[in-house]
Amino acid sequence: MSMTDQSQNRMDATFARLKEEGKTALIPFLTVGDPDPQTTIDIIVELEAAGADILELGVPYSDPLADGPVIQRASQRALTHHVTINTCLEVADGARQRGVEMPFILFTYYNPILQFGLERFFETMQAHGISGMIIPDLPVEESGEMRERSKAAGVSLIPLVAPTSHDRIAAILDGAQGFVYCVSSLGVTGERASFHNNVEQFIRDVKSNTDLPVAVGFGISSSEQVREFSKFCDGVVVGSAIVRQIESQIPLLTNPERKIEGLLQIRKFVAELKE
Ligand SMILES: O=P(O)(O)OC[C@@H](O)[C@@H](O)c1c[nH]c2ccccc12
């Protein structure tokens, strides 16, 4: 089996196994390089140990327009280490060398891909066994080319669908690969106490128009919220709440004598999301 098949199958197989087990995928997001690339590898090991099923590896960006303050701060910290797409792939390889099995999705704005070069980007994603990617600001007129290239490379281009997508939902779902990411609320990322009204109906409508798994994200930060969405979603994405946990543990994570303590706090927080 080629690296391409292996990586794409890795994500498909994860959703299929969880469906068999009647479970919902827990999909954390973190910013690679926050607080530093090596610690990110240590954190990824803890996330899988805590029960994470698929991981969104965030490429830090200087102008994260869809992100709230928590992820903006994480991007700033990571950018002090000059983290690039290559760094993220090295971190992914480092986690694999530590025995991490879960599929990786690269989360990046479009500009870093353009800087990297499309051809080289897809070759590199394929070579490092990345299962998919999420590009929140991919212009619709460029998505056709990106969809073709990602299909050829066997790297799923995972679409974001918002409650306001209405008449564009069919077009978005038509070319969808991997899974569909339903955004629970309008605005930027960040923990929320409530979500867009009729969010359940919105997600059920999306599910009725695709055979792909459907995950929800934006604002989810507690085990109660994960449990509620798990009743009708195949996956739940948690980003800012975990990034905030990492941020709060930085004093321990950057102290060699207490790093383990900080990592265990992160593992505990993520494990509790699945309870
Ligand atoms: O941070 P939240 O509110 O838990 O939402 C997930 C989010 O972090 C992750 O999927 C993501 C990070 N940056 C984004 C920008 C757009 C859409 C999604 C994202």
Side-chain angles (χ1 to χ4, degrees):
M1 183 182 284
S2 73
M3 174 63 89
T4 301
D5 300 342
Q6 203 178 11
S7 53
Q8 197 154 38
N9 288 0
R10 193 191 284 262
M11 186 162 70
D12 300 348
T14 296
F15 275 117
R17 170 175 56 78
L18 290 167
K19 192 178 175 81
E20 273 288 299
E21 297 167 357
K23 292 180 184 165
T24 296
L26 176 62
I27 308 173
F29 164 93
L30 57 63
T31 300
V32 174
D34 176 33
D36 59 74
Q38 179 51 51
T39 303
T40 298
I41 295 174
D42 298 330
I43 293 171
I44 293 172
V45 173
E46 295 307 319
L47 292 181
E48 184 167 71
D53 298 295
I54 298 172
L55 179 60
E56 278 186 32
L57 294 171
V59 178
Y61 185 48
S62 53
D63 183 20
L65 45 88
D67 282 301
V70 173
I71 292 179
Q72 284 183 26
R73 289 198 299 270
S75 293
Q76 288 309 317
R77 289 191 296 267
L79 288 171
T80 62
H81 300 286
H82 313 293
V83 170
T84 63
I85 286 176
N86 270 328
T87 321
C88 296
L89 298 169
E90 286 157 12
V91 163
D93 291 349
R96 288 276 181 257
Q97 282 149 26
R98 294 274 299 274
V100 173
E101 293 283 320
M102 62 182 161
F104 295 141
I105 297 166
L106 195 77
F107 176 95
T108 177
Y109 286 87
Y110 192 43
N111 188 273
I113 296 177
L114 293 177
Q115 302 296 321
F116 198 85
L118 288 192
E119 199 73 44
R120 179 167 156 251
F121 175 72
F122 283 101
E123 284 165 4
T124 309
M125 294 281 275
Q126 213 174 10
H128 289 265
I130 303 296
S131 297
M133 73 194 106
I134 297 173
I135 311 170
D137 60 344
L138 177 62
V140 177
E141 55 279 358
E142 311 264 332
S143 61
E145 178 182 8
M146 289 298 281
R147 258 210 301 277
E148 286 317 307
R149 286 179 178 271
S150 56
K151 207 175 290 176
V155 181
S156 298
L157 179 55
I158 297 153
L160 292 166
V161 184
T164 49
S165 296
H166 297 315
D167 46 3
R168 291 176 57 245
I169 288 187
I172 294 170
L173 295 183
D174 181 37
Q177 306 158 9
F179 66 90
V180 178
Y181 185 144
C182 287
V183 173
S184 75
S185 321
L186 304 182
V188 298
T189 58
E191 303 102 310
R192 286 163 164 83
S194 62
F195 304 97
H196 192 268
N197 50 14
N198 284 336
V199 66
E200 179 172 343
Q201 191 51 54
F202 155 59
I203 295 168
R204 288 185 185 285
D205 289 348
V206 171
K207 278 186 76 72
S208 63
N209 286 287
T210 179
D211 295 331
L212 291 174
V214 173
V216 63
F218 263 54
I220 301 166
S221 59
S222 69
S223 55
E224 295 73 28
Q225 291 172 333
V226 171
R227 209 171 15 255
E228 275 311 300
F229 281 112
S230 296
K231 291 174 181 169
F232 50 91
C233 294
D234 304 300
V236 178
V237 179
V238 179
S240 298
I242 292 172
V243 174
R244 188 192 293 277
Q245 265 303 311
I246 292 169
E247 184 177 55
S248 67
Q249 298 301 334
I250 284 177
L252 298 186
L253 295 171
T254 51
N255 171 350
E257 271 83 58
R258 302 193 66 189
K259 184 166 197 173
I260 301 283
E261 218 179 310
L263 290 172
L264 290 179
Q265 286 300 321
I266 295 166
R267 181 195 298 209
K268 181 169 171 289
F269 177 80
V270 176
E272 283 166 2
L273 288 173
K274 285 200 94 164
E275 280 172 4

